[in-house]
Amino acid sequence: MGKEIKWLTYDSTVGELYDSPVGHDALAKVLLQIGLPEKVITNKAVSGLKLRTIANLTKKQLGTDFFDALLNLVDSEHDEPRASKGKITPKWWKEVVFYQIYPRSFCDNNGDGIGDLQGIISKLDYLQKLGIDALWLSPIYDSPNDDNGYDIRDYDKIMEEFGTMEDFDQLLAEVHKRDMRLIMDLVVNHTSDEHIWYKQARQPNSPYRDYYFFRKDDGSHTPPNNWTSFFSGSAWNYEEDTDSWALHLFSKKQMDLNWENPRVREDVIAMVNRWLDKGVDGFRMDVINYISKEEGLPQGNETIGNLMGFPGIEHYYYGPKLHQYLREIREKAFEPHGAFSVGETPGLGMKMCQLVTGEERKELDMVFSFDHLETPGHVRLEDYEYDLNYFRDYMIDWMENYGNNCWMSLFYNNHDNPRMISKITKDASHHTALSKLLAVMQLTLKGTPFIFQGDEMGLANYDFTSMDQITDVEAKGYYAEHIGKESEEKVFADILAGTREHARVLLPWNKKLPPCHEGLYQKPKKEVLYAYRRLLRLRHEEKAFVYGSFRVLCRKKDRFVYARALEGKVYVVDCNLGAKPCMAFRLKERCKIVYDTVRTGKDERGNSGASNAVISRKLRKGGMLQGYEARILRIL
Ligand code: NOJ
Ligand code: CA
């Protein structure tokens, strides 16, 4: 456990606030949100100011209780994160490359237009040939599909459209037969309102009532607090028959579980154990940092709500019992099975992530944090161009400061995001080069790569033309909320830029698509597939890319050059992050190109490009990199 940090008060300084883990991450998040640099806070003139002074100066803009809310949040964490520079503990989940499958849109085996488990089984050889050694399946449990399976009706049943439990058992056996691993999605912040627990809980005297958050209406017929749902509108449903309100941070059919209730924790842990007993290798844990809500569910601070877009968030995104709950589930389920955990933790910054993933703390093995997915000052549902220079700076910060006792996940895409290559530029002529550049960084940086289905095909965003093609509950909620306030054109452009639907269209190897997606097709790019295969092979062969040290060699505009080294073997990765050609990085040492996104050749064996030896000679004289070109060199 880290050492205790000093309790902060209004007499503390901005610098002290920024030194505390939660204060640091909260302020960093606010800066990110409004697009201001860190030095706004770290410059001496500001960092030495007392919070009282700042509170007085900003009373008009931030309101009187902004700092109360911030201090309250900071006070919830007295441990200090630890970032060790020592040896990295070897683990299988640090050495593998994961592939995320969104079952509904991966592979449809029976021709009904919906992906299924037999479809996944039929593609295991393809995945193995690609070099994948672990799979993460988005939810496959029985669900009414209000949020495509993230609203679970029965944790012990397979979604009918996907198959049966026999199909699942076969899938797991086939995965293991290939020496691959499989992790499931654990969605336990909420259940579907059709889950038996919730159905029971709707009876006022049921023992299940306390499994969820119900609040009797106080006569005002307004929700108990100002918390909003991530899918628009209030986070509360009014239930007329009992004259009460029920909490849902996500859709109206995703009801939040009350983790304060020990029976909820017992039931969840028993369910996790049933799946682990079956032999699954671990779980990705959905919005797991939201499971502990502050007692009394207090009103959210308005300023924080406006800044973050979600009023109330400070009361549950790093709740007071989060560490306790994570330890409990780890101790009683994960650890006895040697299972792996990766938490989805939106909103957590680096220090908070260190506090949930530090290996000595025994909470989570790894997390997905999301602050690298948008350039500062921008949000996902917004039409803008992502700046890879920000990605570079973010990565360098994490590579250098996260610590060897923590381990990072590396990803650009998942089922909740549009494709990164389209976010960087809509100009399709750059997309192949970009796909390969992103693959090079993902497979040579320090952390565990999670490839999202279709990345290896070079898939980009789809040209949706109307809301009829968008099935996702988030985009629909966004549309309904914004349509009266902004022009239809603007609302649709923002949805088109950021909707999760881009990641949810059936992969191109499927013949029949559901009617709403009919005609949406992108030809898979073989060249990108071959690049992934080669890079995966390289990563598996060279442990320097897993456990090696990381050193930045160049971080000028549009340039990202770094070295990974282990036991005397040194690799240099030279990336051009811009669309224009640039000078290649000049190394004094003799070196050999082991991979180059442009020159290595575009066929399966890497033939047809100029030979590496030739490039190596040219390189010593300088040489150029084309737009978005990346190359991996080994120092001889
Ligand atoms: C995060 C999941 O990734 C997303 O798809 C889902 O809508 C929410 N959690 C709610 O479960
Ligand atoms: Ca099917």
Side-chain angles (χ1 to χ4, degrees), residues 80-99:
E80 194 164 25
R82 193 175 76 89
S84 108
K85 296 233 183 280
K87 216 174 152 345
I88 301 169
T89 317
K91 293 278 179 197
W92 68 261
W93 43 265
K94 296 180 184 173
E95 296 175 16
V96 298
V97 175
F98 272 92
Y99 185 94

PDB file of all heavy atoms in Angstrom, residues 80-99:
ATOM      1  N   GLU A  80      -1.356   6.906  -1.697  1.00  0.00           N
ATOM      2  CA  GLU A  80      -0.607   7.532  -2.781  1.00  0.00           C
ATOM      3  C   GLU A  80      -0.224   6.458  -3.795  1.00  0.00           C
ATOM      4  O   GLU A  80       0.212   5.376  -3.427  1.00  0.00           O
ATOM      5  CB  GLU A  80       0.649   8.189  -2.236  1.00  0.00           C
ATOM      6  CG  GLU A  80       1.265   9.123  -3.245  1.00  0.00           C
ATOM      7  CD  GLU A  80       2.262  10.068  -2.587  1.00  0.00           C
ATOM      8  OE1 GLU A  80       2.805   9.734  -1.534  1.00  0.00           O
ATOM      9  OE2 GLU A  80       2.494  11.131  -3.158  1.00  0.00           O
ATOM     10  N   PRO A  81      -0.398   6.760  -5.076  1.00  0.00           N
ATOM     11  CA  PRO A  81      -0.041   5.744  -6.066  1.00  0.00           C
ATOM     12  C   PRO A  81       1.465   5.510  -6.103  1.00  0.00           C
ATOM     13  O   PRO A  81       2.243   6.393  -5.757  1.00  0.00           O
ATOM     14  CB  PRO A  81      -0.508   6.356  -7.385  1.00  0.00           C
ATOM     15  CG  PRO A  81      -0.705   7.791  -7.135  1.00  0.00           C
ATOM     16  CD  PRO A  81      -0.918   7.981  -5.677  1.00  0.00           C
ATOM     17  N   ARG A  82       1.837   4.316  -6.534  1.00  0.00           N
ATOM     18  CA  ARG A  82       3.249   3.983  -6.608  1.00  0.00           C
ATOM     19  C   ARG A  82       3.565   3.604  -8.059  1.00  0.00           C
ATOM     20  O   ARG A  82       2.823   2.860  -8.694  1.00  0.00           O
ATOM     21  CB  ARG A  82       3.495   2.762  -5.715  1.00  0.00           C
ATOM     22  CG  ARG A  82       4.946   2.460  -5.416  1.00  0.00           C
ATOM     23  CD  ARG A  82       5.032   1.303  -4.431  1.00  0.00           C
ATOM     24  NE  ARG A  82       4.765   0.036  -5.074  1.00  0.00           N
ATOM     25  CZ  ARG A  82       5.692  -0.729  -5.653  1.00  0.00           C
ATOM     26  NH1 ARG A  82       6.947  -0.352  -5.674  1.00  0.00           N
ATOM     27  NH2 ARG A  82       5.363  -1.880  -6.213  1.00  0.00           N
ATOM     28  N   ALA A  83       4.639   4.178  -8.577  1.00  0.00           N
ATOM     29  CA  ALA A  83       5.072   3.824  -9.932  1.00  0.00           C
ATOM     30  C   ALA A  83       6.483   3.294  -9.832  1.00  0.00           C
ATOM     31  O   ALA A  83       7.425   4.067  -9.700  1.00  0.00           O
ATOM     32  CB  ALA A  83       5.025   5.045 -10.842  1.00  0.00           C
ATOM     33  N   SER A  84       6.621   1.968  -9.866  1.00  0.00           N
ATOM     34  CA  SER A  84       7.956   1.409  -9.645  1.00  0.00           C
ATOM     35  C   SER A  84       8.783   1.430 -10.926  1.00  0.00           C
ATOM     36  O   SER A  84       8.252   1.368 -12.038  1.00  0.00           O
ATOM     37  CB  SER A  84       7.840  -0.020  -9.107  1.00  0.00           C
ATOM     38  OG  SER A  84       8.223  -0.938 -10.090  1.00  0.00           O
ATOM     39  N   LYS A  85      10.083   1.542 -10.739  1.00  0.00           N
ATOM     40  CA  LYS A  85      10.980   1.487 -11.901  1.00  0.00           C
ATOM     41  C   LYS A  85      11.662   0.118 -11.951  1.00  0.00           C
ATOM     42  O   LYS A  85      12.564  -0.119 -12.748  1.00  0.00           O
ATOM     43  CB  LYS A  85      12.049   2.581 -11.785  1.00  0.00           C
ATOM     44  CG  LYS A  85      11.494   3.996 -11.821  1.00  0.00           C
ATOM     45  CD  LYS A  85      12.194   4.819 -12.893  1.00  0.00           C
ATOM     46  CE  LYS A  85      11.736   6.256 -12.940  1.00  0.00           C
ATOM     47  NZ  LYS A  85      10.479   6.469 -13.627  1.00  0.00           N
ATOM     48  N   GLY A  86      11.220  -0.767 -11.062  1.00  0.00           N
ATOM     49  CA  GLY A  86      11.870  -2.081 -10.934  1.00  0.00           C
ATOM     50  C   GLY A  86      11.522  -3.044 -12.048  1.00  0.00           C
ATOM     51  O   GLY A  86      11.002  -2.665 -13.100  1.00  0.00           O
ATOM     52  N   LYS A  87      11.770  -4.299 -11.756  1.00  0.00           N
ATOM     53  CA  LYS A  87      11.565  -5.341 -12.757  1.00  0.00           C
ATOM     54  C   LYS A  87      10.075  -5.582 -12.999  1.00  0.00           C
ATOM     55  O   LYS A  87       9.277  -5.490 -12.066  1.00  0.00           O
ATOM     56  CB  LYS A  87      12.222  -6.627 -12.221  1.00  0.00           C
ATOM     57  CG  LYS A  87      12.855  -7.457 -13.301  1.00  0.00           C
ATOM     58  CD  LYS A  87      13.600  -8.622 -12.681  1.00  0.00           C
ATOM     59  CE  LYS A  87      13.713  -9.827 -13.556  1.00  0.00           C
ATOM     60  NZ  LYS A  87      12.976 -10.050 -14.696  1.00  0.00           N
ATOM     61  N   ILE A  88       9.724  -5.891 -14.198  1.00  0.00           N
ATOM     62  CA  ILE A  88       8.323  -6.189 -14.525  1.00  0.00           C
ATOM     63  C   ILE A  88       8.058  -7.662 -14.220  1.00  0.00           C
ATOM     64  O   ILE A  88       8.842  -8.530 -14.613  1.00  0.00           O
ATOM     65  CB  ILE A  88       8.046  -5.931 -16.025  1.00  0.00           C
ATOM     66  CG1 ILE A  88       8.350  -4.465 -16.369  1.00  0.00           C
ATOM     67  CG2 ILE A  88       6.630  -6.307 -16.395  1.00  0.00           C
ATOM     68  CD1 ILE A  88       8.354  -4.178 -17.859  1.00  0.00           C
ATOM     69  N   THR A  89       6.955  -7.934 -13.518  1.00  0.00           N
ATOM     70  CA  THR A  89       6.604  -9.336 -13.250  1.00  0.00           C
ATOM     71  C   THR A  89       6.034  -9.959 -14.526  1.00  0.00           C
ATOM     72  O   THR A  89       5.039  -9.449 -15.059  1.00  0.00           O
ATOM     73  CB  THR A  89       5.505  -9.410 -12.167  1.00  0.00           C
ATOM     74  OG1 THR A  89       5.827  -8.489 -11.139  1.00  0.00           O
ATOM     75  CG2 THR A  89       5.350 -10.802 -11.618  1.00  0.00           C
ATOM     76  N   PRO A  90       6.621 -11.037 -14.994  1.00  0.00           N
ATOM     77  CA  PRO A  90       6.076 -11.649 -16.217  1.00  0.00           C
ATOM     78  C   PRO A  90       4.690 -12.268 -15.970  1.00  0.00           C
ATOM     79  O   PRO A  90       4.451 -12.854 -14.926  1.00  0.00           O
ATOM     80  CB  PRO A  90       7.089 -12.754 -16.554  1.00  0.00           C
ATOM     81  CG  PRO A  90       8.255 -12.533 -15.670  1.00  0.00           C
ATOM     82  CD  PRO A  90       7.798 -11.756 -14.488  1.00  0.00           C
ATOM     83  N   LYS A  91       3.795 -12.087 -16.905  1.00  0.00           N
ATOM     84  CA  LYS A  91       2.433 -12.654 -16.825  1.00  0.00           C
ATOM     85  C   LYS A  91       1.992 -12.997 -18.245  1.00  0.00           C
ATOM     86  O   LYS A  91       2.337 -12.269 -19.179  1.00  0.00           O
ATOM     87  CB  LYS A  91       1.434 -11.601 -16.288  1.00  0.00           C
ATOM     88  CG  LYS A  91       1.655 -11.188 -14.859  1.00  0.00           C
ATOM     89  CD  LYS A  91       1.039 -12.185 -13.905  1.00  0.00           C
ATOM     90  CE  LYS A  91       1.299 -11.748 -12.466  1.00  0.00           C
ATOM     91  NZ  LYS A  91       1.103 -12.793 -11.490  1.00  0.00           N
ATOM     92  N   TRP A  92       1.154 -14.018 -18.371  1.00  0.00           N
ATOM     93  CA  TRP A  92       0.711 -14.372 -19.731  1.00  0.00           C
ATOM     94  C   TRP A  92      -0.047 -13.220 -20.387  1.00  0.00           C
ATOM     95  O   TRP A  92       0.079 -12.985 -21.587  1.00  0.00           O
ATOM     96  CB  TRP A  92      -0.128 -15.669 -19.733  1.00  0.00           C
ATOM     97  CG  TRP A  92      -1.501 -15.592 -19.069  1.00  0.00           C
ATOM     98  CD1 TRP A  92      -1.801 -16.012 -17.815  1.00  0.00           C
ATOM     99  CD2 TRP A  92      -2.726 -15.078 -19.632  1.00  0.00           C
ATOM    100  NE1 TRP A  92      -3.140 -15.798 -17.549  1.00  0.00           N
ATOM    101  CE2 TRP A  92      -3.739 -15.224 -18.649  1.00  0.00           C
ATOM    102  CE3 TRP A  92      -3.083 -14.516 -20.856  1.00  0.00           C
ATOM    103  CZ2 TRP A  92      -5.064 -14.827 -18.853  1.00  0.00           C
ATOM    104  CZ3 TRP A  92      -4.398 -14.113 -21.064  1.00  0.00           C
ATOM    105  CH2 TRP A  92      -5.374 -14.273 -20.069  1.00  0.00           C
ATOM    106  N   TRP A  93      -0.803 -12.489 -19.581  1.00  0.00           N
ATOM    107  CA  TRP A  93      -1.638 -11.447 -20.181  1.00  0.00           C
ATOM    108  C   TRP A  93      -0.836 -10.201 -20.571  1.00  0.00           C
ATOM    109  O   TRP A  93      -1.378  -9.285 -21.182  1.00  0.00           O
ATOM    110  CB  TRP A  93      -2.824 -11.089 -19.268  1.00  0.00           C
ATOM    111  CG  TRP A  93      -2.503 -10.964 -17.804  1.00  0.00           C
ATOM    112  CD1 TRP A  93      -2.631 -11.939 -16.861  1.00  0.00           C
ATOM    113  CD2 TRP A  93      -2.002  -9.809 -17.115  1.00  0.00           C
ATOM    114  NE1 TRP A  93      -2.251 -11.470 -15.635  1.00  0.00           N
ATOM    115  CE2 TRP A  93      -1.864 -10.161 -15.756  1.00  0.00           C
ATOM    116  CE3 TRP A  93      -1.678  -8.513 -17.513  1.00  0.00           C
ATOM    117  CZ2 TRP A  93      -1.405  -9.262 -14.788  1.00  0.00           C
ATOM    118  CZ3 TRP A  93      -1.220  -7.621 -16.562  1.00  0.00           C
ATOM    119  CH2 TRP A  93      -1.082  -7.995 -15.218  1.00  0.00           C
ATOM    120  N   LYS A  94       0.446 -10.198 -20.248  1.00  0.00           N
ATOM    121  CA  LYS A  94       1.288  -9.112 -20.750  1.00  0.00           C
ATOM    122  C   LYS A  94       1.899  -9.497 -22.098  1.00  0.00           C
ATOM    123  O   LYS A  94       2.358  -8.651 -22.843  1.00  0.00           O
ATOM    124  CB  LYS A  94       2.406  -8.795 -19.746  1.00  0.00           C
ATOM    125  CG  LYS A  94       1.881  -8.276 -18.416  1.00  0.00           C
ATOM    126  CD  LYS A  94       2.978  -7.952 -17.425  1.00  0.00           C
ATOM    127  CE  LYS A  94       2.360  -7.545 -16.092  1.00  0.00           C
ATOM    128  NZ  LYS A  94       3.360  -7.362 -15.033  1.00  0.00           N
ATOM    129  N   GLU A  95       1.919 -10.799 -22.371  1.00  0.00           N
ATOM    130  CA  GLU A  95       2.618 -11.274 -23.569  1.00  0.00           C
ATOM    131  C   GLU A  95       1.680 -11.526 -24.743  1.00  0.00           C
ATOM    132  O   GLU A  95       2.125 -11.639 -25.875  1.00  0.00           O
ATOM    133  CB  GLU A  95       3.390 -12.555 -23.225  1.00  0.00           C
ATOM    134  CG  GLU A  95       4.474 -12.275 -22.199  1.00  0.00           C
ATOM    135  CD  GLU A  95       5.197 -13.519 -21.710  1.00  0.00           C
ATOM    136  OE1 GLU A  95       5.096 -14.575 -22.364  1.00  0.00           O
ATOM    137  OE2 GLU A  95       5.873 -13.419 -20.668  1.00  0.00           O
ATOM    138  N   VAL A  96       0.391 -11.619 -24.468  1.00  0.00           N
ATOM    139  CA  VAL A  96      -0.542 -11.963 -25.552  1.00  0.00           C
ATOM    140  C   VAL A  96      -1.019 -10.723 -26.294  1.00  0.00           C
ATOM    141  O   VAL A  96      -0.861  -9.598 -25.831  1.00  0.00           O
ATOM    142  CB  VAL A  96      -1.792 -12.705 -25.017  1.00  0.00           C
ATOM    143  CG1 VAL A  96      -1.423 -14.023 -24.364  1.00  0.00           C
ATOM    144  CG2 VAL A  96      -2.590 -11.817 -24.056  1.00  0.00           C
ATOM    145  N   VAL A  97      -1.618 -10.974 -27.443  1.00  0.00           N
ATOM    146  CA  VAL A  97      -2.331  -9.921 -28.153  1.00  0.00           C
ATOM    147  C   VAL A  97      -3.803 -10.326 -28.173  1.00  0.00           C
ATOM    148  O   VAL A  97      -4.146 -11.418 -28.635  1.00  0.00           O
ATOM    149  CB  VAL A  97      -1.786  -9.735 -29.579  1.00  0.00           C
ATOM    150  CG1 VAL A  97      -2.627  -8.722 -30.348  1.00  0.00           C
ATOM    151  CG2 VAL A  97      -0.326  -9.274 -29.523  1.00  0.00           C
ATOM    152  N   PHE A  98      -4.634  -9.460 -27.619  1.00  0.00           N
ATOM    153  CA  PHE A  98      -6.072  -9.737 -27.571  1.00  0.00           C
ATOM    154  C   PHE A  98      -6.750  -9.277 -28.855  1.00  0.00           C
ATOM    155  O   PHE A  98      -6.279  -8.352 -29.531  1.00  0.00           O
ATOM    156  CB  PHE A  98      -6.716  -8.961 -26.411  1.00  0.00           C
ATOM    157  CG  PHE A  98      -6.713  -9.688 -25.096  1.00  0.00           C
ATOM    158  CD1 PHE A  98      -5.667  -9.519 -24.200  1.00  0.00           C
ATOM    159  CD2 PHE A  98      -7.757 -10.524 -24.743  1.00  0.00           C
ATOM    160  CE1 PHE A  98      -5.664 -10.174 -22.974  1.00  0.00           C
ATOM    161  CE2 PHE A  98      -7.764 -11.191 -23.526  1.00  0.00           C
ATOM    162  CZ  PHE A  98      -6.717 -11.012 -22.630  1.00  0.00           C
ATOM    163  N   TYR A  99      -7.878  -9.903 -29.120  1.00  0.00           N
ATOM    164  CA  TYR A  99      -8.726  -9.500 -30.247  1.00  0.00           C
ATOM    165  C   TYR A  99     -10.139  -9.397 -29.685  1.00  0.00           C
ATOM    166  O   TYR A  99     -10.634 -10.345 -29.076  1.00  0.00           O
ATOM    167  CB  TYR A  99      -8.637 -10.572 -31.330  1.00  0.00           C
ATOM    168  CG  TYR A  99      -9.367 -10.286 -32.628  1.00  0.00           C
ATOM    169  CD1 TYR A  99      -8.699  -9.706 -33.705  1.00  0.00           C
ATOM    170  CD2 TYR A  99     -10.712 -10.638 -32.797  1.00  0.00           C
ATOM    171  CE1 TYR A  99      -9.351  -9.478 -34.925  1.00  0.00           C
ATOM    172  CE2 TYR A  99     -11.367 -10.412 -34.012  1.00  0.00           C
ATOM    173  CZ  TYR A  99     -10.671  -9.838 -35.071  1.00  0.00           C
ATOM    174  OH  TYR A  99     -11.312  -9.623 -36.272  1.00  0.00           O
TER     175      TYR A  99
END
